[in-house]
Amino acid sequence: MTKDRKLIIAGNWKMNKTVAEALDLVAGLKRELANVKEVDLVVCPPFTALGAVAQAVLDSNLRLGAQNMSEHNFGAFTGEICAGMLKEFSVRYVILGHSERRQYQKESDALIARKAAAAHAASLKPIVCVGETLAEREAGRMENVLETQVRGSLAGLSKTQMDETVIAYEPVWAIGTGKTATTQQAQEAHAFIRRVLAGLFDEAVARRVRIQYGGSVKPSNARELMSQPDVDGALVGGASLEERSFADIVKNSI
Ligand code: 13P
Protein backbone atom coordinates (compact mmCIF):
# COMPACT_ATOMS: atom_id res chain seq x y z
CA MET A 1 0.00 0.00 0.00
CA THR A 2 1.40 3.39 -0.86
CA LYS A 3 0.38 6.48 1.00
CA ASP A 4 2.33 9.72 1.38
CA ARG A 5 1.76 9.70 5.09
CA LYS A 6 3.56 7.10 7.20
CA LEU A 7 1.14 4.96 9.19
CA ILE A 8 1.18 5.39 12.95
CA ILE A 9 -0.26 2.63 15.11
CA ALA A 10 -0.48 3.26 18.83
CA GLY A 11 -1.62 1.07 21.69
CA ASN A 12 -3.63 2.87 24.34
CA TRP A 13 -3.38 0.55 27.31
CA LYS A 14 -5.77 2.70 29.36
CA MET A 15 -5.84 1.69 33.08
CA ASN A 16 -4.30 -1.73 32.50
CA LYS A 17 -0.95 -3.41 33.20
CA THR A 18 1.22 -3.46 36.29
CA VAL A 19 4.90 -2.79 35.71
CA ALA A 20 5.61 -6.53 35.47
CA GLU A 21 2.77 -7.06 33.00
CA ALA A 22 3.84 -4.03 30.97
CA LEU A 23 7.40 -5.38 30.68
CA ASP A 24 6.07 -8.76 29.59
CA LEU A 25 3.97 -7.20 26.86
CA VAL A 26 6.79 -4.97 25.63
CA ALA A 27 9.19 -7.91 25.48
CA GLY A 28 6.67 -9.73 23.29
CA LEU A 29 6.11 -6.72 21.04
CA LYS A 30 9.85 -6.26 20.59
CA ARG A 31 10.13 -9.88 19.49
CA GLU A 32 7.18 -9.66 17.11
CA LEU A 33 7.73 -6.24 15.62
CA ALA A 34 11.51 -5.81 15.55
CA ASN A 35 11.66 -5.65 11.76
CA VAL A 36 8.82 -3.22 11.20
CA LYS A 37 10.05 0.02 9.64
CA GLU A 38 7.04 0.99 7.54
CA VAL A 39 4.90 2.04 10.51
CA ASP A 40 5.54 4.33 13.46
CA LEU A 41 4.81 2.19 16.52
CA VAL A 42 3.78 3.71 19.84
CA VAL A 43 2.84 2.19 23.18
CA CYS A 44 0.97 4.25 25.76
CA PRO A 45 1.18 2.56 29.18
CA PRO A 46 -0.28 4.01 32.37
CA PHE A 47 1.96 6.61 34.08
CA THR A 48 3.15 4.08 36.68
CA ALA A 49 4.76 1.89 34.01
CA LEU A 50 6.34 4.68 31.92
CA GLY A 51 9.72 4.51 33.63
CA ALA A 52 10.12 0.76 33.23
CA VAL A 53 8.78 0.71 29.67
CA ALA A 54 11.04 3.64 28.74
CA GLN A 55 14.07 1.51 29.59
CA ALA A 56 12.66 -1.53 27.83
CA VAL A 57 12.02 0.24 24.51
CA LEU A 58 15.36 2.07 24.38
CA ASP A 59 16.90 -0.33 21.87
CA SER A 60 13.75 -0.85 19.80
CA ASN A 61 11.48 0.69 17.18
CA LEU A 62 8.74 1.23 19.79
CA ARG A 63 8.13 4.81 20.87
CA LEU A 64 6.59 5.82 24.14
CA GLY A 65 3.36 7.74 24.62
CA ALA A 66 1.43 8.90 27.68
CA GLN A 67 -2.35 8.88 28.00
CA ASN A 68 -2.84 12.39 29.33
CA MET A 69 -1.00 15.35 30.84
CA SER A 70 -1.70 18.59 32.65
CA GLU A 71 -2.02 21.91 30.87
CA HIS A 72 0.27 23.37 33.59
CA ASN A 73 4.03 23.04 33.87
CA PHE A 74 4.30 22.70 37.66
CA GLY A 75 2.58 23.65 40.86
CA ALA A 76 -0.28 22.85 43.19
CA PHE A 77 -2.28 20.44 41.03
CA THR A 78 -2.62 17.33 43.15
CA GLY A 79 -2.59 14.12 41.17
CA GLU A 80 -1.57 15.73 37.90
CA ILE A 81 1.47 14.99 35.71
CA CYS A 82 3.14 17.67 33.58
CA ALA A 83 4.97 17.54 30.26
CA GLY A 84 8.40 17.93 31.88
CA MET A 85 7.79 14.81 33.97
CA LEU A 86 6.88 12.84 30.84
CA LYS A 87 10.02 14.07 29.11
CA GLU A 88 12.12 12.54 31.89
CA PHE A 89 10.98 9.14 30.60
CA SER A 90 11.67 9.91 26.95
CA VAL A 91 7.96 10.11 26.19
CA ARG A 92 7.43 11.33 22.60
CA TYR A 93 3.64 11.31 22.26
CA VAL A 94 0.73 12.16 24.50
CA ILE A 95 -2.91 11.23 23.94
CA LEU A 96 -5.12 14.23 24.63
CA GLY A 97 -8.89 14.55 24.86
CA HIS A 98 -9.68 10.87 24.74
CA SER A 99 -13.45 10.42 24.81
CA GLU A 100 -13.20 8.71 28.20
CA ARG A 101 -11.59 11.85 29.60
CA ARG A 102 -14.08 14.09 27.80
CA GLN A 103 -16.87 12.02 29.38
CA TYR A 104 -15.58 11.19 32.89
CA GLN A 105 -13.30 14.17 33.55
CA LYS A 106 -15.46 16.60 31.57
CA GLU A 107 -12.51 17.76 29.48
CA SER A 108 -13.51 20.56 27.12
CA ASP A 109 -12.14 21.41 23.70
CA ALA A 110 -10.59 24.57 25.18
CA LEU A 111 -8.76 22.59 27.86
CA ILE A 112 -7.53 20.10 25.28
CA ALA A 113 -6.21 22.96 23.14
CA ARG A 114 -4.28 24.34 26.15
CA LYS A 115 -2.85 20.87 26.80
CA ALA A 116 -1.87 20.55 23.14
CA ALA A 117 -0.05 23.88 23.33
CA ALA A 118 1.75 22.76 26.50
CA ALA A 119 2.70 19.48 24.84
CA HIS A 120 4.20 21.29 21.84
CA ALA A 121 6.06 23.70 24.09
CA ALA A 122 7.79 20.62 25.55
CA SER A 123 8.31 19.01 22.10
CA LEU A 124 5.81 16.26 22.82
CA LYS A 125 3.61 15.21 19.92
CA PRO A 126 -0.07 15.30 20.88
CA ILE A 127 -2.49 12.67 19.63
CA VAL A 128 -5.71 14.69 19.78
CA CYS A 129 -8.86 12.56 19.95
CA VAL A 130 -12.21 13.52 18.45
CA GLY A 131 -15.36 11.55 17.83
CA GLU A 132 -19.13 11.64 17.98
CA THR A 133 -21.48 9.66 20.22
CA LEU A 134 -24.14 7.36 18.83
CA ALA A 135 -26.87 9.86 19.73
CA GLU A 136 -25.01 12.62 17.88
CA ARG A 137 -24.52 10.44 14.81
CA GLU A 138 -28.18 9.36 14.78
CA ALA A 139 -29.29 12.97 15.11
CA GLY A 140 -27.31 13.78 11.95
CA ARG A 141 -24.85 15.90 13.92
CA MET A 142 -21.64 14.00 13.25
CA GLU A 143 -20.03 16.62 11.03
CA ASN A 144 -21.06 19.44 13.30
CA VAL A 145 -19.62 17.70 16.37
CA LEU A 146 -16.37 16.77 14.61
CA GLU A 147 -15.88 20.27 13.26
CA THR A 148 -16.46 21.83 16.68
CA GLN A 149 -14.06 19.39 18.33
CA VAL A 150 -11.34 19.77 15.69
CA ARG A 151 -11.52 23.58 15.67
CA GLY A 152 -11.76 23.82 19.46
CA SER A 153 -9.12 21.24 20.37
CA LEU A 154 -6.53 22.59 17.93
CA ALA A 155 -7.26 26.28 18.54
CA GLY A 156 -4.12 28.37 18.52
CA LEU A 157 -1.77 25.73 17.10
CA SER A 158 0.50 26.84 14.28
CA LYS A 159 0.90 25.10 10.92
CA THR A 160 4.33 23.91 12.01
CA GLN A 161 2.88 22.45 15.19
CA MET A 162 0.23 20.65 13.14
CA ASP A 163 3.02 18.75 11.38
CA GLU A 164 3.88 17.32 14.80
CA THR A 165 0.27 16.62 15.76
CA VAL A 166 -1.68 13.42 15.18
CA ILE A 167 -5.47 13.30 15.18
CA ALA A 168 -7.37 10.22 16.28
CA TYR A 169 -10.93 9.80 15.05
CA GLU A 170 -12.63 7.59 17.59
CA PRO A 171 -16.40 7.30 17.23
CA VAL A 172 -17.51 6.88 20.84
CA TRP A 173 -20.04 4.19 19.88
CA ALA A 174 -17.22 2.02 18.51
CA ILE A 175 -14.93 2.14 21.55
CA GLY A 176 -14.78 -1.12 23.46
CA THR A 177 -18.14 -2.18 22.02
CA GLY A 178 -16.94 -4.55 19.33
CA LYS A 179 -18.74 -2.28 16.84
CA THR A 180 -16.24 -0.97 14.33
CA ALA A 181 -17.15 1.86 12.04
CA THR A 182 -17.47 0.47 8.55
CA THR A 183 -14.53 1.33 6.37
CA GLN A 184 -16.80 3.70 4.51
CA GLN A 185 -17.93 5.44 7.71
CA ALA A 186 -14.31 5.77 8.83
CA GLN A 187 -13.15 7.10 5.46
CA GLU A 188 -16.00 9.63 5.32
CA ALA A 189 -15.23 10.96 8.79
CA HIS A 190 -11.48 11.13 8.10
CA ALA A 191 -12.01 12.94 4.81
CA PHE A 192 -14.33 15.37 6.56
CA ILE A 193 -11.76 16.04 9.29
CA ARG A 194 -9.15 16.68 6.60
CA ARG A 195 -11.48 19.23 4.95
CA VAL A 196 -11.89 20.99 8.29
CA LEU A 197 -8.09 21.06 8.68
CA ALA A 198 -7.77 22.57 5.21
CA GLY A 199 -10.14 25.36 6.22
CA LEU A 200 -8.48 25.89 9.58
CA PHE A 201 -4.87 25.77 8.29
CA ASP A 202 -4.38 25.09 4.57
CA GLU A 203 -4.53 22.28 2.03
CA ALA A 204 -0.88 21.36 2.42
CA VAL A 205 -1.15 21.00 6.19
CA ALA A 206 -4.35 18.99 5.81
CA ARG A 207 -2.62 16.64 3.38
CA ARG A 208 0.28 16.04 5.79
CA VAL A 209 -1.57 15.49 9.09
CA ARG A 210 -1.95 11.87 10.08
CA ILE A 211 -5.42 10.80 11.17
CA GLN A 212 -5.71 7.54 13.10
CA TYR A 213 -8.89 5.52 13.43
CA GLY A 214 -9.80 4.13 16.84
CA GLY A 215 -12.67 1.94 18.01
CA SER A 216 -12.63 -1.87 18.13
CA VAL A 217 -9.65 -2.17 15.77
CA LYS A 218 -8.58 -5.80 15.59
CA PRO A 219 -6.41 -7.98 13.35
CA SER A 220 -9.41 -8.92 11.21
CA ASN A 221 -10.42 -5.36 10.30
CA ALA A 222 -7.06 -3.57 10.32
CA ARG A 223 -6.16 -4.18 6.71
CA GLU A 224 -9.40 -2.86 5.29
CA LEU A 225 -9.41 0.19 7.56
CA MET A 226 -5.79 1.08 6.80
CA SER A 227 -6.39 0.75 3.08
CA GLN A 228 -8.73 3.74 3.12
CA PRO A 229 -7.10 6.79 1.57
CA ASP A 230 -7.53 9.06 4.58
CA VAL A 231 -6.89 6.52 7.35
CA ASP A 232 -3.27 6.82 8.46
CA GLY A 233 -3.07 4.44 11.36
CA ALA A 234 -4.89 3.20 14.40
CA LEU A 235 -5.30 3.99 18.07
CA VAL A 236 -5.93 0.58 19.55
CA GLY A 237 -7.44 -0.09 22.97
CA GLY A 238 -8.40 -3.64 23.95
CA ALA A 239 -6.45 -5.38 21.20
CA SER A 240 -3.25 -3.57 22.23
CA LEU A 241 -3.17 -5.37 25.59
CA GLU A 242 -2.00 -8.61 24.09
CA GLU A 243 1.14 -9.03 22.00
CA ARG A 244 -0.44 -11.37 19.43
CA SER A 245 -3.35 -9.12 18.53
CA PHE A 246 -1.37 -5.85 18.48
CA ALA A 247 1.40 -7.41 16.41
CA ASP A 248 -1.14 -8.85 13.97
CA ILE A 249 -2.86 -5.49 13.60
CA VAL A 250 0.50 -3.97 12.67
CA LYS A 251 1.44 -6.78 10.29
CA ASN A 252 -1.97 -6.73 8.60
CA SER A 253 -1.67 -2.98 8.07
CA ILE A 254 1.56 -3.07 6.11
P1 13P B 1 -10.97 -0.25 21.75
O1 13P B 1 -9.94 -0.60 20.71
O2 13P B 1 -10.92 -1.11 22.97
O3 13P B 1 -12.34 -0.13 21.16
O4 13P B 1 -10.58 1.22 22.29
C1 13P B 1 -10.34 2.22 21.38
C2 13P B 1 -9.77 3.38 22.11
O5 13P B 1 -10.43 4.03 22.88
C3 13P B 1 -8.35 3.70 21.87
O6 13P B 1 -8.01 4.92 22.42
Side-chain angles (χ1 to χ4, degrees), residues 156-169:
L157 295 191
S158 68
K159 292 180 185 179
T160 323
Q161 288 173 328
M162 282 312 295
D163 282 340
E164 305 297 330
T165 300
V166 177
I167 294 179
Y169 168 62

Side-chain angles (χ1 to χ4, degrees), residues 73-87:
N73 289 331
F74 60 89
F77 301 101
T78 302
E80 293 290 303
I81 302 276
C82 65
M85 295 168 178
L86 299 180
K87 296 285 287 184

Side-chain angles (χ1 to χ4, degrees), residues 37-200:
K37 295 182 186 64
E38 304 88 332
V39 182
D40 285 336
L41 300 173
V42 185
V43 289
C44 305
F47 290 130
T48 47
L50 281 176
V53 173
Q55 288 299 314
V57 299
L58 267 184
D59 57 345
S60 81
N61 53 352
L62 298 173
R63 296 287 169 266
L64 195 55
Q67 299 175 18
N68 175 45
M69 59 170 253
S70 170
E71 65 180 299
H72 303 289
N73 289 331
F74 60 89
F77 301 101
T78 302
E80 293 290 303
I81 302 276
C82 65
M85 295 168 178
L86 299 180
K87 296 285 287 184
E88 278 194 302
F89 295 118
S90 310
V91 169
R92 309 276 186 97
Y93 295 88
V94 58
I95 299 170
L96 296 178
H98 190 279
S99 64
E100 286 148 17
R101 296 199 62 85
R102 289 178 183 266
Q103 183 184 353
Y104 305 134
Q105 273 77 32
K106 306 283 174 251
E107 291 200 358
S108 66
D109 291 328
L111 173 65
I112 296 159
R114 292 196 297 276
K115 290 185 178 196
H120 281 296
S123 300
L124 287 170
K125 299 177 202 296
I127 298 176
V128 175
C129 302
V130 297
E132 81 287 359
T133 63
L134 187 59
E136 289 164 343
R137 174 173 278 264
E138 287 178 343
R141 295 187 50 231
M142 179 192 84
E143 292 196 345
N144 186 277
V145 168
L146 290 182
E147 177 154 11
T148 302
Q149 290 183 348
V150 169
R151 287 181 175 276
S153 308
L154 302 176
L157 295 191
S158 68
K159 292 180 185 179
T160 323
Q161 288 173 328
M162 282 312 295
D163 282 340
E164 305 297 330
T165 300
V166 177
I167 294 179
Y169 168 62
E170 298 204 309
V172 178
W173 48 273
I175 296 178
T177 58
K179 277 190 204 166
T180 321
T182 64
T183 49
Q184 189 190 344
Q185 286 171 325
Q187 169 55 29
E188 277 169 13
H190 284 229
F192 176 74
I193 290 168
R194 219 176 284 288
R195 285 202 296 282
V196 174
L197 292 174
L200 198 53

